Amino acid sequence: QRAFRAIVWAHERRESLTRETLLWWLERQGVSEDVRVSVTLACESALESGSRLSVSAASETLRDLQKRRLAFGVVTDMAARLKNGNTGAEVLAAARTGLDAAQAGVAGSVRVVTVSDTVDARRAEYEDQEKNPNKYRGVLLGIDELDKITNGIYPQETMLIVGRQGSGKTRVLFNLAYNVARTNHVAFFTIEMPAAQIQRIYSSRDAMVDYLSLKTAKLNEKDREKYFETLERQRESAKKFHIVDMPRGCSASVVESQVRALLSAFSIKLIVIDYIGLMESSRQWRDSWKEVEQIGRELKQLSRALQIPIISAAQGNRDMAKALKDGEEVGLENVALSDRLSDHADIIILIHASQADVMGGVLHWNVAKHRDGTRSQFDTFFLSQCNFIGNRVVELGNDNSRDRKPAD
């Protein structure tokens, strides 16, 4: 819609819409830099070609593209249909048609359901679920207590992991992604750490070897052999864990473009973003809490559009640290920067572990919000030196066995 408005704006002012004027106009609208560049690149070929566009063809193309939320690809697609010799009026008409179609696409997504009309369908669905429970599960995250209360995370759902700095948020995000990637394709967006560091965390967790010794190439002979064996196994076992190394300040639209590129080759079942505090919204805000709230809204919209669940993390505020120190319970009020961030998440989990807990291998989980289920509190095993977070009953170094207690 911004692309079309820019074209309309230029023609109404009888100005030539160059790359420079377009960037200036978008900046005045409060659009972030990465989105300004995306819109400009999409417009550039159409604006410079000076060609003719069929309004009816544009309308159909735009409606189709809107369904797939490729708003910035619209003008590029329009340019491919141009022929030499157009007039400014025809471009203006096409832009207005495109804007109408894009706005109609948003209105067209509204759906009205009368409850009485779906009684038979809901009864049939319940009976089918009794016979085929696995068919109605979401994406299981490999943490027994969490999967028990959620039945897996479903398409269109977003989950937020909240904790103080150093509480293990990245490790939690990683382990959830690691568990899912054993059977399904996962897109792990790393903004905080480089991809090489995530790969080391993956190998440390996969081989169950000390991370620092792996990083400094000082593994003992037994762990060194285990590490090399794990690397060979990863040629097949790690094919579904896709790391996307993103720059700080990226927006939800950039995440979307990367996911869509992955979807052309893989059936992505989960998106993990580390983490929300390092992203920027599609428009600029003077107040940081408004921007964080906007990012939460955009990620929720993205999850619904892609039909893929999204898990990210956010910082806990200073009150969270004080509450934990005083032995008090923590909750949604402990999400840093914006209480409204919690409005857009379906599941919010606060994690924490004292130094004694870390030494004892324990991580505390508090499911403070669950829009489609119950809240709960539980503990998991946390072996920080190996980046392992999982169920209390596992055998270290052998995830195929789950009947033995952790080794000392």
Side-chain angles (χ1 to χ4, degrees):
Q1 292 185 34
R2 290 190 181 106
F4 297 133
R5 286 196 181 102
I7 296 173
V8 172
W9 167 81
H11 278 278
E12 286 177 345
R13 291 172 60 92
R14 297 181 180 179
E15 292 189 11
S16 174
L17 190 56
T18 64
R19 179 183 178 87
E20 289 71 26
T21 57
L22 178 57
L23 286 169
W24 174 82
W25 184 85
L26 290 169
E27 186 175 7
R28 286 191 61 190
Q29 306 304 305
V31 180
S32 62
E33 182 178 1
D34 62 319
V35 177
R36 292 202 300 269
V37 172
S38 297
V39 176
T40 302
L41 290 174
C43 289
E44 208 163 40
S45 56
L47 298 173
E48 293 179 354
S49 61
S51 339
R52 181 174 182 177
L53 173 69
S54 165
V55 173
S56 59
S59 179
E60 292 303 315
T61 301
L62 294 168
R63 285 193 179 93
D64 180 59
L65 288 171
Q66 177 64 21
K67 291 176 184 177
R68 292 164 19 213
R69 291 188 76 250
L70 295 179
F72 298 146
V74 167
V75 179
T76 300
D77 192 82
M78 288 165 55
R81 296 168 177 266
L82 295 175
K83 295 182 180 179
N84 292 330
N86 80 308
T87 65
E90 288 170 331
V91 173
L92 177 59
R96 282 180 169 151
T97 301
L99 180 56
D100 291 342
Q103 292 172 334
V106 175
S109 64
V110 177
R111 180 169 171 250
V112 178
V113 177
T114 302
V115 176
S116 60
D117 294 342
T118 64
V119 171
D120 292 338
R122 284 180 283 130
R123 179 190 179 105
E125 181 181 76
Y126 184 88
E127 292 173 342
D128 185 45
Q129 187 172 356
E130 287 181 315
K131 299 175 184 177
N132 307 289
N134 291 340
K135 177 180 174 182
Y136 292 87
R137 285 190 180 128
V139 177
L140 298 178
L141 300 175
I143 303 296
D144 287 350
E145 279 296 319
L146 186 58
D147 288 335
K148 180 180 177 180
I149 64 173
T150 62
N151 203 31
I153 184 170
Y154 287 85
Q156 300 191 40
E157 285 191 330
T158 56
M159 177 185 290
L160 200 60
I161 306 296
V162 179
R164 290 292 292 162
Q165 187 173 2
S167 60
K169 296 186 297 296
T170 294
R171 267 62 180 181
V172 169
L173 292 177
F174 165 78
N175 273 271
L176 297 179
Y178 175 90
N179 294 339
V180 174
R182 301 177 75 171
T183 54
N184 295 290
H185 288 278
V186 174
F188 188 96
F189 287 81
T190 176
I191 308 173
E192 185 176 32
M193 301 179 181
Q197 190 170 346
I198 299 299
Q199 291 180 81
R200 262 200 311 272
I201 291 174
Y202 188 104
S203 293
S204 172
R205 164 66 181 87
D206 208 25
M208 295 302 290
V209 298
D210 182 76
Y211 178 82
L212 182 58
S213 299
L214 177 61
K215 178 182 177 181
T216 57
K218 293 182 179 179
L219 293 171
N220 61 43
E221 191 59 36
K222 180 181 178 181
D223 284 349
R224 181 177 181 274
E225 182 179 349
K226 187 193 299 184
Y227 171 56
F228 287 159
E229 289 175 354
T230 299
L231 287 179
E232 288 302 314
R233 189 177 70 248
Q234 287 177 3
R235 295 183 191 276
E236 295 298 326
S237 65
K239 287 185 174 180
K240 295 182 178 181
F241 195 103
H242 310 283
I243 302 171
V244 186
D245 197 341
M246 301 288 284
R248 292 188 179 217
C250 64
S251 66
S253 63
V254 177
V255 171
E256 178 180 4
S257 66
Q258 294 297 322
V259 173
R260 290 194 182 277
L262 284 169
L263 285 171
S264 65
F266 309 106
S267 178
I268 302 297
K269 296 299 183 183
L270 177 67
I271 300 168
V272 178
I273 304 173
D274 185 25
Y275 66 98
I276 202 169
L278 299 177
M279 298 178 66
E280 290 184 0
S281 67
S282 58
R283 57 176 295 187
Q284 296 173 338
W285 297 89
R286 181 171 299 176
D287 298 320
S288 58
W289 68 267
K290 289 183 179 179
E291 180 164 34
V292 170
E293 191 265 340
Q294 176 67 19
I295 295 169
R297 179 188 289 113
E298 290 174 357
L299 289 180
K300 178 60 179 177
Q301 292 170 343
L302 178 59
S303 178
R304 294 191 64 178
L306 296 175
Q307 292 288 297
I308 301 174
I310 296 177
I311 304 177
S312 189
Q315 292 282 4
N317 59 25
R318 293 179 180 177
D319 290 340
M320 181 178 183
K322 184 178 184 300
L324 292 172
K325 184 178 180 180
D326 296 341
E328 300 173 359
E329 186 174 332
V330 293
L332 297 180
E333 68 277 5
N334 298 119
V335 180
L337 288 179
S338 175
D339 291 340
R340 293 184 64 187
L341 178 60
S342 61
D343 293 343
H344 305 293
D346 299 283
I347 304 169
I348 297 181
I349 302 173
L350 290 92
I351 60 167
H352 59 94
S354 66
Q355 190 61 37
D357 290 331
V358 174
M359 296 296 293
V362 178
L363 181 67
H364 303 292
W365 299 57
N366 177 9
V367 182
K369 177 184 178 180
H370 187 195
R371 185 169 281 151
D372 193 30
T374 60
R375 296 181 294 174
S376 178
Q377 296 184 29
F378 58 88
D379 296 339
T380 57
F381 195 93
F382 182 22
L383 194 62
S384 59
Q385 65 268 37
C386 296
N387 296 290
F388 172 85
I389 297 174
N391 304 302
R392 292 289 297 181
V393 183
V394 296
E395 179 184 3
L396 298 187
N398 182 5
D399 285 350
N400 294 323
S401 172
R402 300 179 61 186
D403 298 322
R404 298 176 60 183
K405 292 182 179 180
D408 293 334

